[in-house]
Short mmCIF file of all heavy atoms in Angstrom, two decimals:
data_model
loop_
_atom_site.label_atom_id
_atom_site.label_comp_id
_atom_site.label_asym_id
_atom_site.label_seq_id
_atom_site.Cartn_x
_atom_site.Cartn_y
_atom_site.Cartn_z
N ARG A 3 88.81 108.41 332.24
CA ARG A 3 87.39 108.57 332.53
C ARG A 3 86.68 109.05 331.27
O ARG A 3 87.11 109.99 330.62
CB ARG A 3 87.18 109.57 333.66
CG ARG A 3 87.75 109.09 335.00
CD ARG A 3 87.47 110.08 336.10
NE ARG A 3 87.99 109.59 337.37
CZ ARG A 3 87.88 110.27 338.51
NH1 ARG A 3 87.29 111.45 338.52
NH2 ARG A 3 88.37 109.77 339.63
N CYS A 4 85.59 108.40 330.92
CA CYS A 4 84.82 108.75 329.73
C CYS A 4 83.35 108.90 330.10
O CYS A 4 82.87 108.24 331.03
CB CYS A 4 84.94 107.67 328.64
SG CYS A 4 86.63 107.20 328.23
N VAL A 5 82.66 109.77 329.39
CA VAL A 5 81.22 109.80 329.53
C VAL A 5 80.66 108.59 328.79
O VAL A 5 81.36 107.92 328.03
CB VAL A 5 80.63 111.11 328.95
CG1 VAL A 5 81.15 112.29 329.73
CG2 VAL A 5 80.95 111.26 327.47
N ARG A 6 79.36 108.30 328.98
CA ARG A 6 78.80 107.05 328.49
C ARG A 6 78.96 106.87 326.98
O ARG A 6 79.44 105.84 326.52
CB ARG A 6 77.32 106.97 328.87
CG ARG A 6 76.68 105.65 328.51
CD ARG A 6 75.30 105.52 329.10
NE ARG A 6 74.44 106.64 328.72
CZ ARG A 6 73.16 106.71 329.03
NH1 ARG A 6 72.60 105.76 329.74
NH2 ARG A 6 72.44 107.75 328.66
N GLY A 7 78.57 107.87 326.18
CA GLY A 7 78.68 107.75 324.74
C GLY A 7 80.12 107.65 324.28
O GLY A 7 80.45 106.88 323.38
N GLU A 8 81.00 108.42 324.93
CA GLU A 8 82.41 108.42 324.57
C GLU A 8 83.03 107.05 324.82
O GLU A 8 83.84 106.56 324.02
CB GLU A 8 83.13 109.49 325.38
CG GLU A 8 84.59 109.67 325.05
CD GLU A 8 85.25 110.72 325.92
OE1 GLU A 8 84.65 111.08 326.96
OE2 GLU A 8 86.34 111.17 325.58
N LYS A 9 82.65 106.40 325.93
CA LYS A 9 83.20 105.08 326.26
C LYS A 9 82.84 104.06 325.19
O LYS A 9 83.67 103.25 324.79
CB LYS A 9 82.66 104.64 327.62
CG LYS A 9 83.21 103.30 328.09
CD LYS A 9 82.68 102.96 329.47
CE LYS A 9 83.24 101.62 329.94
NZ LYS A 9 82.72 101.26 331.29
N LYS A 10 81.59 104.10 324.69
CA LYS A 10 81.17 103.18 323.64
C LYS A 10 81.98 103.39 322.38
O LYS A 10 82.35 102.44 321.69
CB LYS A 10 79.68 103.36 323.37
CG LYS A 10 78.76 102.87 324.48
CD LYS A 10 77.31 103.15 324.15
CE LYS A 10 76.37 102.61 325.23
NZ LYS A 10 76.30 101.15 325.21
N ALA A 11 82.25 104.66 322.04
CA ALA A 11 83.03 104.96 320.84
C ALA A 11 84.47 104.49 320.98
O ALA A 11 85.06 103.97 320.04
CB ALA A 11 82.99 106.46 320.56
N VAL A 12 85.05 104.66 322.17
CA VAL A 12 86.43 104.22 322.42
C VAL A 12 86.53 102.69 322.28
O VAL A 12 87.50 102.17 321.72
CB VAL A 12 86.90 104.68 323.81
CG1 VAL A 12 88.24 104.03 324.17
CG2 VAL A 12 87.02 106.19 323.85
N ILE A 13 85.54 101.96 322.77
CA ILE A 13 85.54 100.51 322.66
C ILE A 13 85.55 100.09 321.19
O ILE A 13 86.28 99.17 320.78
CB ILE A 13 84.32 99.91 323.39
CG1 ILE A 13 84.47 100.07 324.89
CG2 ILE A 13 84.14 98.43 323.04
CD1 ILE A 13 83.25 99.66 325.69
N GLY A 14 84.74 100.78 320.36
CA GLY A 14 84.72 100.47 318.94
C GLY A 14 86.06 100.73 318.26
O GLY A 14 86.52 99.95 317.43
N THR A 15 86.70 101.84 318.63
CA THR A 15 88.01 102.17 318.07
C THR A 15 89.05 101.13 318.46
O THR A 15 89.87 100.70 317.64
CB THR A 15 88.45 103.57 318.54
OG1 THR A 15 87.49 104.54 318.11
CG2 THR A 15 89.81 103.93 317.97
N LEU A 16 89.04 100.72 319.72
CA LEU A 16 89.98 99.70 320.19
C LEU A 16 89.75 98.35 319.49
O LEU A 16 90.70 97.64 319.17
CB LEU A 16 89.87 99.53 321.70
CG LEU A 16 90.36 100.71 322.56
CD1 LEU A 16 90.09 100.44 324.03
CD2 LEU A 16 91.84 100.96 322.32
N TYR A 17 88.50 98.02 319.25
CA TYR A 17 88.16 96.78 318.54
C TYR A 17 88.84 96.76 317.18
O TYR A 17 89.49 95.77 316.79
CB TYR A 17 86.65 96.68 318.39
CG TYR A 17 86.16 95.49 317.58
CD1 TYR A 17 85.86 94.28 318.21
CD2 TYR A 17 86.00 95.58 316.21
CE1 TYR A 17 85.41 93.19 317.48
CE2 TYR A 17 85.55 94.50 315.46
CZ TYR A 17 85.25 93.32 316.10
OH TYR A 17 84.81 92.23 315.36
N ASP A 18 88.73 97.86 316.44
CA ASP A 18 89.33 97.95 315.11
C ASP A 18 90.86 97.89 315.19
O ASP A 18 91.51 97.18 314.42
CB ASP A 18 88.91 99.25 314.42
CG ASP A 18 87.43 99.25 314.05
OD1 ASP A 18 86.82 98.16 314.09
OD2 ASP A 18 86.90 100.33 313.73
N GLU A 19 91.43 98.64 316.12
CA GLU A 19 92.89 98.73 316.20
C GLU A 19 93.53 97.41 316.61
O GLU A 19 94.56 97.02 316.07
CB GLU A 19 93.29 99.84 317.17
CG GLU A 19 93.01 101.24 316.64
CD GLU A 19 93.67 102.31 317.50
OE1 GLU A 19 94.27 101.96 318.54
OE2 GLU A 19 93.56 103.49 317.13
N VAL A 20 92.92 96.72 317.57
CA VAL A 20 93.49 95.45 318.03
C VAL A 20 93.50 94.42 316.92
O VAL A 20 94.51 93.74 316.69
CB VAL A 20 92.70 94.94 319.26
CG1 VAL A 20 93.08 93.49 319.57
CG2 VAL A 20 92.96 95.81 320.47
N HIS A 21 92.38 94.29 316.20
CA HIS A 21 92.33 93.30 315.14
C HIS A 21 93.23 93.66 313.97
O HIS A 21 93.84 92.78 313.35
CB HIS A 21 90.88 93.13 314.66
CG HIS A 21 90.01 92.36 315.62
ND1 HIS A 21 90.09 90.99 315.75
CD2 HIS A 21 89.08 92.77 316.51
CE1 HIS A 21 89.23 90.59 316.67
NE2 HIS A 21 88.60 91.64 317.15
N THR A 22 93.34 94.94 313.66
CA THR A 22 94.25 95.37 312.59
C THR A 22 95.69 95.12 312.98
O THR A 22 96.51 94.65 312.17
CB THR A 22 94.04 96.86 312.27
OG1 THR A 22 92.68 97.08 311.89
CG2 THR A 22 94.94 97.30 311.12
N PHE A 23 96.04 95.41 314.24
CA PHE A 23 97.39 95.20 314.73
C PHE A 23 97.78 93.71 314.68
O PHE A 23 98.93 93.36 314.40
CB PHE A 23 97.51 95.71 316.16
CG PHE A 23 98.86 95.51 316.78
CD1 PHE A 23 99.92 96.35 316.47
CD2 PHE A 23 99.09 94.46 317.66
CE1 PHE A 23 101.17 96.16 317.03
CE2 PHE A 23 100.34 94.26 318.23
CZ PHE A 23 101.39 95.12 317.92
N ASN A 24 96.81 92.84 314.92
CA ASN A 24 97.07 91.39 314.90
C ASN A 24 97.03 90.79 313.50
O ASN A 24 97.10 89.57 313.35
CB ASN A 24 96.05 90.67 315.79
CG ASN A 24 96.29 90.94 317.27
OD1 ASN A 24 97.41 91.18 317.69
ND2 ASN A 24 95.22 90.93 318.06
N GLY A 25 96.93 91.62 312.49
CA GLY A 25 97.00 91.14 311.12
C GLY A 25 95.68 90.78 310.48
O GLY A 25 95.64 90.26 309.36
N GLY A 26 94.58 91.05 311.17
CA GLY A 26 93.27 90.74 310.61
C GLY A 26 92.71 91.88 309.77
O GLY A 26 93.28 92.97 309.73
N ASP A 27 91.63 91.62 309.09
CA ASP A 27 90.94 92.64 308.32
C ASP A 27 89.71 93.10 309.09
O ASP A 27 89.09 92.32 309.82
CB ASP A 27 90.51 92.10 306.94
CG ASP A 27 91.72 91.80 306.06
OD1 ASP A 27 92.65 92.63 306.06
OD2 ASP A 27 91.73 90.76 305.39
N VAL A 28 89.36 94.36 308.90
CA VAL A 28 88.28 94.97 309.66
C VAL A 28 87.35 95.73 308.73
O VAL A 28 87.80 96.37 307.78
CB VAL A 28 88.85 95.94 310.73
CG1 VAL A 28 87.74 96.73 311.39
CG2 VAL A 28 89.62 95.18 311.80
N ALA A 29 86.06 95.65 309.01
CA ALA A 29 85.06 96.48 308.32
C ALA A 29 84.05 96.97 309.34
O ALA A 29 83.55 96.17 310.14
CB ALA A 29 84.37 95.69 307.21
N SER A 30 83.79 98.25 309.33
CA SER A 30 82.82 98.84 310.25
C SER A 30 81.82 99.66 309.46
O SER A 30 82.19 100.43 308.57
CB SER A 30 83.51 99.73 311.28
OG SER A 30 84.33 98.97 312.16
N ILE A 31 80.55 99.50 309.80
CA ILE A 31 79.49 100.31 309.20
C ILE A 31 78.85 101.12 310.33
O ILE A 31 78.38 100.55 311.32
CB ILE A 31 78.44 99.45 308.49
CG1 ILE A 31 79.09 98.64 307.37
CG2 ILE A 31 77.32 100.32 307.93
CD1 ILE A 31 78.12 97.74 306.62
N LEU A 32 78.86 102.43 310.17
CA LEU A 32 78.27 103.33 311.15
C LEU A 32 76.92 103.79 310.62
O LEU A 32 76.85 104.59 309.69
CB LEU A 32 79.20 104.53 311.40
CG LEU A 32 80.66 104.20 311.75
CD1 LEU A 32 81.47 105.47 311.91
CD2 LEU A 32 80.74 103.35 313.01
N TRP A 33 75.86 103.25 311.21
CA TRP A 33 74.50 103.56 310.76
C TRP A 33 73.96 104.77 311.51
O TRP A 33 74.19 104.92 312.70
CB TRP A 33 73.56 102.38 311.00
CG TRP A 33 73.93 101.13 310.27
CD1 TRP A 33 74.74 100.12 310.70
CD2 TRP A 33 73.49 100.73 308.96
NE1 TRP A 33 74.83 99.13 309.76
CE2 TRP A 33 74.07 99.47 308.68
CE3 TRP A 33 72.65 101.31 308.00
CZ2 TRP A 33 73.83 98.79 307.49
CZ3 TRP A 33 72.42 100.64 306.82
CH2 TRP A 33 73.01 99.39 306.57
N ASP A 34 73.23 105.59 310.78
CA ASP A 34 72.57 106.74 311.42
C ASP A 34 71.16 106.86 310.85
O ASP A 34 70.98 106.84 309.63
CB ASP A 34 73.36 108.03 311.15
CG ASP A 34 72.74 109.23 311.85
OD1 ASP A 34 72.83 109.30 313.08
OD2 ASP A 34 72.15 110.09 311.15
N GLU A 35 70.17 106.94 311.75
CA GLU A 35 68.78 107.09 311.30
C GLU A 35 68.41 108.57 311.28
O GLU A 35 68.69 109.30 312.21
CB GLU A 35 67.81 106.35 312.24
CG GLU A 35 67.77 104.87 312.01
CD GLU A 35 68.98 104.18 312.62
OE1 GLU A 35 69.16 104.22 313.84
OE2 GLU A 35 69.76 103.62 311.83
N GLU A 36 67.77 108.97 310.20
CA GLU A 36 67.38 110.36 310.03
C GLU A 36 66.03 110.62 310.70
O GLU A 36 65.04 109.98 310.38
CB GLU A 36 67.29 110.68 308.53
CG GLU A 36 67.05 112.14 308.21
CD GLU A 36 67.11 112.42 306.73
OE1 GLU A 36 67.97 111.83 306.05
OE2 GLU A 36 66.27 113.20 306.24
N LYS A 37 66.04 111.57 311.64
CA LYS A 37 64.81 111.96 312.35
C LYS A 37 64.06 110.73 312.87
O LYS A 37 62.94 110.45 312.47
CB LYS A 37 63.91 112.78 311.42
CG LYS A 37 64.54 114.09 310.97
CD LYS A 37 63.62 114.88 310.06
CE LYS A 37 64.28 116.19 309.63
NZ LYS A 37 63.42 116.97 308.71
N LEU A 38 64.71 110.02 313.77
CA LEU A 38 64.19 108.75 314.27
C LEU A 38 62.81 108.89 314.90
O LEU A 38 61.96 108.00 314.77
CB LEU A 38 65.17 108.17 315.29
CG LEU A 38 64.75 106.87 315.99
CD1 LEU A 38 64.59 105.75 314.97
CD2 LEU A 38 65.77 106.48 317.05
N TYR A 39 62.55 110.00 315.59
CA TYR A 39 61.29 110.14 316.31
C TYR A 39 60.08 110.35 315.39
O TYR A 39 58.96 110.05 315.76
CB TYR A 39 61.36 111.31 317.29
CG TYR A 39 62.41 111.15 318.37
CD1 TYR A 39 63.16 112.23 318.81
CD2 TYR A 39 62.65 109.92 318.95
CE1 TYR A 39 64.12 112.09 319.80
CE2 TYR A 39 63.59 109.76 319.95
CZ TYR A 39 64.33 110.86 320.37
OH TYR A 39 65.28 110.70 321.35
N ASP A 40 60.30 110.88 314.20
CA ASP A 40 59.18 111.25 313.32
C ASP A 40 58.36 110.07 312.82
O ASP A 40 57.13 110.13 312.81
CB ASP A 40 59.69 112.08 312.14
CG ASP A 40 60.15 113.47 312.58
OD1 ASP A 40 59.95 113.81 313.76
OD2 ASP A 40 60.71 114.20 311.76
N PRO A 41 58.99 108.97 312.35
CA PRO A 41 58.18 107.91 311.75
C PRO A 41 57.61 106.90 312.74
O PRO A 41 56.98 105.92 312.33
CB PRO A 41 59.17 107.22 310.82
CG PRO A 41 60.48 107.34 311.52
CD PRO A 41 60.43 108.68 312.22
N ILE A 42 57.83 107.09 314.03
CA ILE A 42 57.39 106.09 315.01
C ILE A 42 55.86 106.02 315.06
O ILE A 42 55.19 107.01 315.37
CB ILE A 42 57.96 106.41 316.41
CG1 ILE A 42 59.48 106.26 316.41
CG2 ILE A 42 57.35 105.49 317.46
CD1 ILE A 42 60.13 106.57 317.74
N ASN A 43 55.33 104.84 314.75
CA ASN A 43 53.89 104.61 314.83
C ASN A 43 53.52 104.28 316.27
O ASN A 43 54.03 103.31 316.84
CB ASN A 43 53.48 103.48 313.89
CG ASN A 43 51.98 103.26 313.87
OD1 ASN A 43 51.43 102.66 314.80
ND2 ASN A 43 51.33 103.72 312.83
N ILE A 44 52.64 105.07 316.86
CA ILE A 44 52.35 104.93 318.28
C ILE A 44 51.65 103.61 318.59
O ILE A 44 51.92 102.97 319.61
CB ILE A 44 51.52 106.13 318.78
CG1 ILE A 44 52.37 107.41 318.69
CG2 ILE A 44 51.05 105.92 320.22
CD1 ILE A 44 51.68 108.67 319.13
N SER A 45 50.76 103.17 317.70
CA SER A 45 50.08 101.88 317.93
C SER A 45 51.08 100.73 317.94
O SER A 45 51.02 99.84 318.80
CB SER A 45 49.03 101.65 316.85
OG SER A 45 48.03 102.65 316.90
N LYS A 46 52.01 100.77 316.98
CA LYS A 46 53.05 99.73 316.93
C LYS A 46 53.97 99.83 318.14
O LYS A 46 54.42 98.81 318.69
CB LYS A 46 53.85 99.87 315.63
CG LYS A 46 54.89 98.78 315.42
CD LYS A 46 55.67 99.01 314.14
CE LYS A 46 54.79 98.85 312.92
NZ LYS A 46 55.58 98.94 311.65
N LEU A 47 54.25 101.07 318.57
CA LEU A 47 55.11 101.28 319.73
C LEU A 47 54.49 100.68 320.98
O LEU A 47 55.17 100.05 321.80
CB LEU A 47 55.34 102.78 319.93
CG LEU A 47 56.19 103.19 321.13
CD1 LEU A 47 57.62 102.70 320.95
CD2 LEU A 47 56.17 104.71 321.31
N ILE A 48 53.17 100.84 321.16
CA ILE A 48 52.49 100.28 322.33
C ILE A 48 52.58 98.76 322.33
O ILE A 48 52.84 98.13 323.36
CB ILE A 48 51.02 100.74 322.35
CG1 ILE A 48 50.95 102.26 322.56
CG2 ILE A 48 50.24 100.02 323.43
CD1 ILE A 48 49.55 102.83 322.43
N LYS A 49 52.39 98.15 321.17
CA LYS A 49 52.48 96.69 321.07
C LYS A 49 53.88 96.19 321.41
O LYS A 49 54.05 95.22 322.16
CB LYS A 49 52.10 96.23 319.66
CG LYS A 49 52.14 94.73 319.47
CD LYS A 49 51.76 94.34 318.05
CE LYS A 49 51.76 92.81 317.87
NZ LYS A 49 53.06 92.19 318.23
N LEU A 50 54.91 96.89 320.89
CA LEU A 50 56.28 96.49 321.17
C LEU A 50 56.61 96.68 322.65
O LEU A 50 57.34 95.89 323.24
CB LEU A 50 57.25 97.31 320.30
CG LEU A 50 57.21 97.04 318.80
CD1 LEU A 50 58.08 98.05 318.05
CD2 LEU A 50 57.69 95.61 318.50
N ALA A 51 56.05 97.73 323.26
CA ALA A 51 56.29 97.98 324.68
C ALA A 51 55.69 96.86 325.53
O ALA A 51 56.30 96.42 326.52
CB ALA A 51 55.70 99.34 325.08
N PHE A 52 54.51 96.37 325.16
CA PHE A 52 53.91 95.24 325.86
C PHE A 52 54.78 93.99 325.71
O PHE A 52 54.94 93.21 326.65
CB PHE A 52 52.50 94.96 325.31
CG PHE A 52 51.42 95.73 326.00
CD1 PHE A 52 51.01 96.96 325.53
CD2 PHE A 52 50.81 95.23 327.15
CE1 PHE A 52 50.01 97.68 326.17
CE2 PHE A 52 49.81 95.94 327.81
CZ PHE A 52 49.42 97.17 327.32
N ASP A 53 55.33 93.79 324.53
CA ASP A 53 56.13 92.59 324.26
C ASP A 53 57.37 92.51 325.15
O ASP A 53 57.80 91.42 325.54
CB ASP A 53 56.54 92.54 322.79
CG ASP A 53 55.36 92.31 321.86
OD1 ASP A 53 54.31 91.84 322.35
OD2 ASP A 53 55.48 92.60 320.65
#
Side-chain angles (χ1 to χ4, degrees):
R3 295 182 178 180
C4 308
V5 297
R6 184 170 55 175
E8 184 182 16
K9 182 177 180 180
K10 290 177 177 289
V12 171
I13 290 173
T15 300
L16 291 176
Y17 176 91
D18 291 346
E19 289 191 356
V20 168
H21 286 284
T22 302
F23 179 79
N24 289 331
D27 293 318
V28 171
S30 293
I31 300 179
L32 308 178
W33 298 90
D34 182 71
E35 282 78 63
E36 186 174 321
K37 298 180 179 178
L38 176 62
Y39 298 142
D40 290 353
I42 294 179
N43 183 283
I44 294 179
S45 297
K46 184 182 293 186
L47 178 66
I48 294 173
K49 181 180 182 304
L50 292 173
F52 271 92
D53 292 342

